[in-house]
Amino acid sequence: MDKLIRLIKIWTLWELFQGLGVTGRNLFKKKFTLNYPEEKAPQSPRFRGLHALRRYENGEERCIGCKLCEAICPAMAITIEVAPRDEDSPESKGEVNGAGKSHNYGNRRTTKYDIDLFKCIFCGYCEEACPVEAIVETRIYEYHFEKRGENIMSKEDLLKIGDSEESQLATDLEVDGRFR
Amino acid sequence: MESSAEQNIVNIEINDISLQVEPGQMLIEVADANGVAIPRFCYHKKLSTSANCRMCLVEVEKAPKMLPACATQVMNGMKVWTKSPKAIAAQKSVMEFLLINHPLDCPVCDQGGECDLQDIAMGYGGDQTRYQERRRIVKDKDYGALVSTEMSRCIHCTRCVRFGEEVGGIAEIGGTGRGDHMEIGTYVQKSLSSELSGNIIDLCPVGALLSKPFLYSARAWELQSYLSIAPHDAVGSNIKIQTRNGKIMRVVPADNEEVNESWISDRDRFSYLGANESRVTSPMVRNSSGNLVETNWQAALDTVIKSFTEIIATDGGSAVGAIASPSSSVEEFYLLQKFMRGLGSNNIDFRLQQQDFSAGAEQSAPKLELSLQEIETQNSIFIIGSDIQREQPLLSHRVRKATLAGAVVSTINPKTIEFNFAISTSVKTDKLTPALAGVAKELLSRGLGGDLNLEQLLTDGAVNIAVEAEHKEIADSLVNGENSMVLLGALAYRDQNQSRIYSLATAISKMSNSSLNIVTEGANALGGVLAGAVPYHSAGKVEVSECGVDVAEMISNPPKGVVLFGVEADKDLAGDDSAIDSLGSGFVVAITPFMDRLTYEHADVVLPLAGFGESSGTFVNAEGRWQSFSGAVKPLGEARPGWKILRVLGSSAELQGFELDSSEQVLNEVKALCDVTADKSEPEISNWSAPTDLGNIEAEMVKPIPLYEVDAVVRRSAPLQEQAKKLTGGVDDV
Ligand code: SF4
Ligand code: FES
């Protein structure tokens, strides 16, 4: 009996038509292929792209060098050096926020903040560990390196990204803030 | 409970586990000894109990309220629960109270990661605050160059206060105000002056007191710890050198009840900051135009060997000599003397500050007859020529503990020296010998002279020795004390009359049946003698056929070729500049970590030596305790550990016995020669004979070396120097 059914299926090209049926259905469906780079996929506010370091409104960098991101990073991609910074130094912009502020010893600030993008696995733990929302991951995912060494993002690079992305970052954090 | 009849056993139950413990202990001690964790802030095993943080509350059967484990003595039949719902509830509410005013600034606080409050809050703290009011803010205090303060973080455990009173010996820190207005600070606004002040950094359970030089430079979890031995005094404090990325970040104490308990001196703690100042990082040779130029190791070593062989060929082995730092390791001392003796010279010495060498080989090694712990049990202590508090801070702490237990201390010291413990009799004088002779004469007149043959010297001799009332008192206290000790310090050691002083002190200790304890200079003076780095004998006290010359002789009559090993000649050596400069007249090989004036101006070859924490080695502390340590970081630049340099020097000079591959191998060789049992050298009985005269009885005592001037590393530590300036500057910036 089974044999007979199989023979009929073979001779009527049943399975071929079954397959073509799927093709036919999808042929007239709405397409979701994007014409990248002209078109881009929508992004969640939690998108984890290139990193950035943020500043406060008065221009003072947020990062206080607590090294929690360095400690939590599973890929050990972050390297931080910290030193006290004089409150009167040119980098101390305007009113300091009080974090790490001490009249006797200056502020706790990083002197070096490097992320190795070759190591980074974009897990977003650094962002979660950060007590002051300084290190964040932006929506930027289009970048490339041409030379060895460019994969290491320095503090200046990260701050620059933060400056240009600030409005987006602020809105995203605002949206996501409800769930934290 | 049958055993309770035996008075000295108490049966208690902690968390339903029955334990038999000694009476008189506090619950927390029993719990600690048996691995039961009780949270605490104010309790510290080395300080008195104040029971003011209340974090250690536990439930005790039949007690109406929770009891603080740190202030509750064990009693027979006691049943204790440390984790019952009631106990936990109590601990949680205490935690909530403590956190009311503690700022939530862990991310910027250096204590983060090693903070008691942080750790315990993880276990007992709530995750929400119910406190809506304003937190209190406390103004920071200025404690000087070593300790930074962030007083809003203080939880008033008073550990620092108790440390000041009980260990530091100066009640500098205290609490003023009450309740919410309580503030911890110095009573008068000034820097801390205790030489042990750094310990409050470790004691403070929160980040209120932190190390100022270490501030914001590393996190506790990034540091690697290496056990080591502090190289600045003869106590041999156990330390942990903590490094990050191959750099020394800080030094903290390692517990060793027998040596340094839980403390280290500020000198040991902050000296690392000078370890990399003005370092020599590559071998250098002086060229024909008189400038030091960098070269490679091979060339530098060849120059040394060539010049030394030339000198020896024309003038014989005794034309070369070596001066080593008293803080060199046993291995270095041993190989240096082996090298010199291999070249045919016995001119080797490390006793940089000694002026009188007339005792020669008869003088026994500088050693404490007692162990450091035994010092605490003495009833009568006689300190001769020693600023012990500054020379050996942790030995002095033992003396202080003895005084707190009722010991009487008498001193013969210059006027300027003051101590943080009570002194019953003090002879303030500039001349050590007559005062000491007075005490000896008094003891003699009591018929204690025995067969010491001192009559000739003290009573019938040419000089008339006056016995003052104080001398009698000292004699009284020594004779009456059940355990009495004589302690000779650096001022006695550096005196022009040293040999007479040592003889008299020995006689005094014999007559009064006291122990004789000697501390001199550096971290390893005893090791130096044992390893044979003296002109009279080689390692293991094997006498040499022809005595070499001592360091004073080498300075006044410089050898044609001289090796300076770890010595900063213009600061470490006794004698004036011009005398020391004359050392430079010959061929000078400076094996040194630091560039200093003499090296710069006169050295012909400079070999970079590994500095603090960079090499392995062994120190023999004043008690005779052999303590080995390994390197914590790589030597800077081209620098090499001393034992390696000397080994290569030895084999390039084609001497026998330099085929050594590790510092352990060197150490084993020395130990075999020195007859060391259980890493402890026993005191030796020296042949004593009465001195025939008292030398220059009018000789003035030398000035003590300031606390932070003792060696090249300490002198280069900027924070220590700043602190020294603050303390001596008179005006304190408020
Ligand atoms: S400063 Fe630190 S050690 Fe001193 S009372 Fe406050 S918390 Fe305790
Ligand atoms: S540890 Fe017992 S009250 Fe503080």
Side-chain angles (χ1 to χ4, degrees):
Chain A
M1 186 63 187
D2 280 356
K3 215 173 173 186
L4 187 70
I5 292 176
R6 228 184 100 221
L7 276 177
I8 296 172
K9 273 191 175 171
I10 287 171
W11 288 109
T12 55
L13 301 177
W14 168 255
E15 277 165 347
L16 183 72
F17 286 114
Q18 204 178 21
L20 278 174
V22 176
T23 315
R25 240 183 294 135
N26 282 306
L27 198 58
F28 301 103
K29 251 199 178 158
K30 187 174 173 301
K31 309 288 177 294
F32 49 64
T33 311
L34 288 175
N35 287 329
Y36 182 82
E38 281 82 31
E39 291 171 12
K40 282 176 187 171
Q43 286 174 318
S44 145
R46 292 178 184 174
F47 188 85
R48 301 197 297 261
L50 197 61
H51 306 73
L53 278 171
R54 296 175 64 222
R55 294 180 192 274
Y56 285 105
E57 269 126 55
N58 62 10
E60 175 61 283
E61 55 195 89
R62 279 175 181 256
C63 179
I64 47 168
C66 72
K67 299 207 184 189
L68 288 178
C69 49
E70 187 188 43
I72 203 160
C73 178
M76 301 212 247
I78 308 182
T79 314
I80 299 174
E81 297 285 344
V82 184
R85 192 177 78 197
D86 199 353
E87 261 175 77
D88 307 321
S89 78
E91 298 102 318
S92 294
K93 298 219 172 73
E95 283 271 301
V96 266
N97 53 66
K101 170 176 164 171
S102 157
H103 290 290
N104 296 342
Y105 323 113
N107 297 301
R108 185 187 178 108
R109 292 283 176 244
T110 56
T111 52
K112 172 179 178 178
Y113 191 116
D114 287 353
I115 297 187
D116 185 344
L117 290 177
F118 282 175
K119 290 184 184 165
C120 176
I121 56 167
F122 299 94
C123 64
Y125 281 5
C126 47
E127 190 171 352
E128 270 181 55
C130 185
V132 288
E133 294 184 338
I135 183 77
V136 287
E137 289 184 304
T138 61
R139 296 183 171 211
I140 303 171
Y141 58 93
E142 294 157 309
Y143 52 86
H144 69 289
F145 314 122
E146 284 167 6
K147 277 193 226 85
R148 179 164 275 283
E150 282 178 14
N151 54 314
I152 312 250
M153 304 288 285
S154 68
K155 178 176 170 183
E156 286 68 44
D157 301 336
L158 291 165
L159 279 170
K160 214 180 290 160
I161 301 172
D163 290 344
S164 63
E165 296 298 302
E166 179 53 31
S167 58
Q168 179 74 68
L169 288 168
T171 14
D172 285 353
L173 284 165
E174 172 89 46
V175 174
D176 200 32
R178 285 186 292 137
F179 306 104
R180 287 192 185 231
Chain B
M1 285 169 198
E2 320 83 83
S3 60
S4 63
E6 297 171 25
Q7 286 301 301
N8 50 1
I9 290 287
V10 183
N11 289 295
I12 67 160
E13 248 179 45
I14 298 185
N15 296 345
D16 300 324
I17 302 164
S18 35
L19 300 167
Q20 270 150 17
V21 298
E22 277 170 39
Q25 294 193 71
M26 295 297 169
L27 266 178
I28 206 163
E29 296 172 61
V30 175
D32 282 353
N34 290 287
V36 179
I38 297 178
R40 85 284 310 266
F41 293 113
C42 69
Y43 170 79
H44 188 274
K45 61 179 193 290
K46 293 261 123 200
L47 299 175
S48 66
T49 307
S50 68
N52 58 8
C53 77
R54 299 278 139 179
M55 192 62 215
C56 63
L57 292 178
V58 292
E59 187 180 354
V60 178
E61 190 187 46
K62 300 209 198 82
K65 290 196 271 182
M66 304 295 115
L67 297 179
C70 68
T72 309
Q73 280 200 359
V74 289
M75 280 185 292
N76 213 355
M78 202 178 219
K79 283 200 174 125
V80 183
W81 294 276
T82 65
K83 295 209 166 59
S84 68
K86 263 170 134 182
I88 298 268
Q91 289 161 353
K92 282 204 158 156
S93 15
V94 170
M95 192 74 223
E96 193 173 2
F97 269 121
L98 284 175
L99 289 181
I100 279 183
N101 276 320
H102 189 81
L104 193 61
D105 62 353
C106 305
V108 289
C109 173
D110 260 354
Q111 191 86 354
E114 53 176 357
C115 173
D116 291 355
L117 190 68
Q118 207 180 26
D119 294 349
I120 297 175
M122 286 299 286
Y124 301 89
D127 48 4
Q128 295 256 307
T129 177
R130 293 189 280 163
Y131 188 72
Q132 301 294 332
E133 291 74 14
R134 284 178 73 92
R135 278 157 194 261
R136 61 181 224 135
I137 298 223
V138 183
K139 197 168 167 281
D140 294 341
K141 312 291 186 295
D142 187 0
Y143 278 6
L146 307 177
V147 181
S148 80
T149 63
E150 193 69 60
M151 294 321 285
S152 301
R153 294 179 187 149
C154 171
I155 57 168
H156 306 136
C157 70
T158 68
R159 276 189 190 180
C160 56
V161 178
R162 280 174 287 146
F163 176 85
E165 285 162 11
E166 294 162 19
V167 182
I170 339 172
E172 292 180 289
I173 310 176
T176 47
R178 313 197 54 177
D180 201 25
H181 299 286
M182 176 161 175
E183 284 190 24
I184 300 284
T186 42
Y187 295 115
V188 260
Q189 287 267 330
K190 66 177 186 85
S191 311
L192 299 182
S193 65
S194 165
E195 61 291 325
L196 300 174
S197 67
N199 290 300
I200 59 176
I201 298 165
D202 301 328
L203 282 178
C204 184
V206 295
L209 306 177
L210 295 167
S211 159
K212 209 177 214 176
F214 176 70
L215 209 68
Y216 302 159
S217 56
R219 284 301 200 180
W221 60 77
E222 303 176 298
L223 299 171
Q224 264 114 26
S225 263
Y226 297 87
L227 282 176
S228 189
I229 305 297
H232 308 295
D233 57 38
V235 173
S237 296
N238 291 199
I239 53 172
K240 283 185 223 154
I241 299 181
Q242 301 196 321
T243 67
R244 170 171 171 260
N245 291 344
K247 251 189 82 193
I248 300 180
M249 299 311 289
R250 66 173 173 183
V251 170
V252 292
D255 282 10
N256 188 339
E257 232 3 69
E258 292 173 6
V259 182
N260 55 322
E261 302 172 74
S262 305
W263 321 122
I264 54 173
S265 61
D266 290 357
R267 202 161 59 187
D268 297 342
R269 185 184 297 266
F270 296 108
S271 67
Y272 74 92
L273 293 149
N276 281 349
E277 296 296 318
S278 62
R279 283 288 295 269
V280 185
T281 49
S282 70
M284 287 188 263
V285 172
R286 198 169 292 277
N287 64 8
S288 47
S289 50
N291 295 323
L292 279 177
V293 285
E294 296 193 356
T295 172
N296 59 18
W297 270 101
Q298 197 52 51
L301 291 170
D302 288 347
T303 321
V304 175
I305 300 297
K306 192 166 145 270
S307 311
F308 268 49
T309 22
E310 269 168 24
I311 294 172
I312 292 167
T314 48
D315 300 275
S318 57
V320 293
I323 303 176
S325 144
S327 301
S328 313
S329 68
V330 169
E331 291 84 345
E332 290 163 348
F333 277 134
Y334 175 69
L335 290 179
L336 184 60
Q337 64 92 24
K338 200 170 180 178
F339 177 61
M340 295 316 290
R341 299 213 151 95
L343 294 178
S345 163
N346 284 312
N347 307 338
I348 175 164
D349 211 342
F350 65 88
R351 299 164 299 171
L352 308 184
Q353 291 287 334
Q354 190 168 332
Q355 297 187 51
D356 170 19
F357 294 89
S358 51
E362 271 190 20
Q363 197 161 79
S364 61
K367 187 171 182 312
L368 302 179
E369 208 174 303
L370 302 171
S371 73
L372 288 165
Q373 269 178 317
E374 279 164 353
I375 294 177
E376 287 175 27
T377 62
Q378 302 299 304
N379 318 100
S380 167
I381 299 171
F382 178 26
I383 298 175
I384 305 168
S386 172
D387 186 359
I388 194 75
Q389 193 187 334
R390 257 84 29 188
E391 277 166 28
Q392 318 279 344
L394 286 165
L395 197 157
S396 164
H397 173 52
R398 302 278 185 171
V399 173
R400 184 164 182 277
K401 275 172 128 180
T403 64
L404 294 180
V408 288
V409 177
S410 32
T411 61
I412 302 184
N413 263 339
K415 275 193 252 351
T416 47
I417 297 178
E418 279 173 10
F419 293 125
N420 61 359
F421 43 82
I423 292 171
S424 52
T425 318
S426 73
V427 180
K428 299 201 164 165
T429 172
D430 292 327
K431 296 172 188 119
L432 198 45
T433 329
L436 205 56
V439 179
K441 191 171 174 185
E442 171 61 22
L443 286 166
L444 194 65
S445 69
R446 298 182 184 196
L448 297 165
D451 54 359
L452 294 175
N453 293 327
L454 283 167
E455 290 77 11
Q456 162 67 30
L457 179 69
L458 295 174
T459 35
D460 325 331
V463 271
N464 187 28
I465 295 150
V467 179
E468 321 258 336
E470 288 103 11
H471 303 166
K472 292 192 173 151
E473 274 174 45
I474 295 176
D476 273 340
S477 72
L478 280 178
V479 173
N480 297 341
E482 193 187 328
N483 298 317
S484 49
M485 67 180 266
V486 173
L487 181 70
L488 280 160
L491 299 184
Y493 160 76
R494 291 167 53 211
D495 203 275
Q496 288 172 38
N497 252 347
Q498 189 250 23
S499 60
R500 273 62 165 221
I501 291 170
Y502 274 32
S503 304
L504 284 174
T506 317
I508 288 173
S509 72
K510 285 188 186 199
M511 288 193 280
S512 60
N513 198 15
S514 327
S515 57
L516 179 68
N517 299 279
I518 304 170
V519 278
T520 58
E521 58 180 333
N524 198 19
L526 181 53
V529 175
L530 294 174
V534 279
Y536 325 109
H537 57 73
S538 66
K541 298 222 157 178
V542 180
E543 283 201 19
V544 291
S545 51
E546 192 190 336
C547 237
V549 298
D550 51 58
V551 56
E553 180 64 28
M554 278 191 256
I555 293 174
S556 57
N557 198 356
K560 290 235 165 77
V562 65
V563 180
L564 295 175
F565 190 90
V567 181
E568 192 175 14
D570 49 334
K571 301 229 170 69
D572 282 339
L573 290 165
D576 54 24
D577 273 7
S578 59
I580 287 162
D581 276 354
S582 69
L583 254 187
S585 60
F587 181 82
V588 179
V589 182
I591 307 180
T592 172
F594 301 113
M595 188 49 95
D596 57 66
R597 193 181 56 81
L598 191 97
T599 309
Y600 188 71
E601 289 173 7
H602 297 291
D604 297 282
V605 178
V606 186
L607 304 178
L609 179 65
F612 172 70
E614 293 179 351
S615 86
S616 57
T618 305
F619 289 150
V620 185
N621 81 350
E623 302 166 284
R625 185 188 298 273
W626 293 60
Q627 300 188 107
S628 297
F629 52 88
S630 56
V633 291
K634 276 226 278 309
L636 197 70
E638 288 279 292
R640 291 289 173 270
W643 69 269
K644 281 193 184 168
I645 301 178
L646 292 166
R647 180 198 60 180
V648 178
L649 268 178
S651 29
S652 354
E654 290 169 8
L655 300 175
Q656 294 301 309
F658 279 89
E659 303 78 24
L660 298 152
D661 298 329
S662 66
S663 63
E664 287 85 46
Q665 225 177 342
V666 185
L667 181 64
N668 290 339
E669 208 173 304
V670 193
K671 276 190 175 167
L673 290 168
C674 290
D675 196 17
V676 184
T677 39
D679 283 348
K680 195 95 198 268
S681 291
E682 294 308 323
E684 50 197 293
I685 320 295
S686 57
N687 323 327
W688 190 87
S689 53
T692 49
D693 64 295
L694 282 177
N696 174 13
I697 196 155
E698 293 297 307
E700 294 246 327
M701 244 195 262
V702 288
K703 289 216 172 51
I705 298 178
L707 179 60
Y708 297 137
E709 299 282 329
V710 290
D711 59 37
V713 188
V714 170
R715 283 191 291 264
R716 283 174 171 76
S717 167
L720 285 180
Q721 293 315 319
E722 196 187 327
Q723 182 77 349
K725 214 182 288 160
K726 282 201 177 184
L727 294 180
T728 52
V731 218
D732 260 313
D733 32 353
V734 177

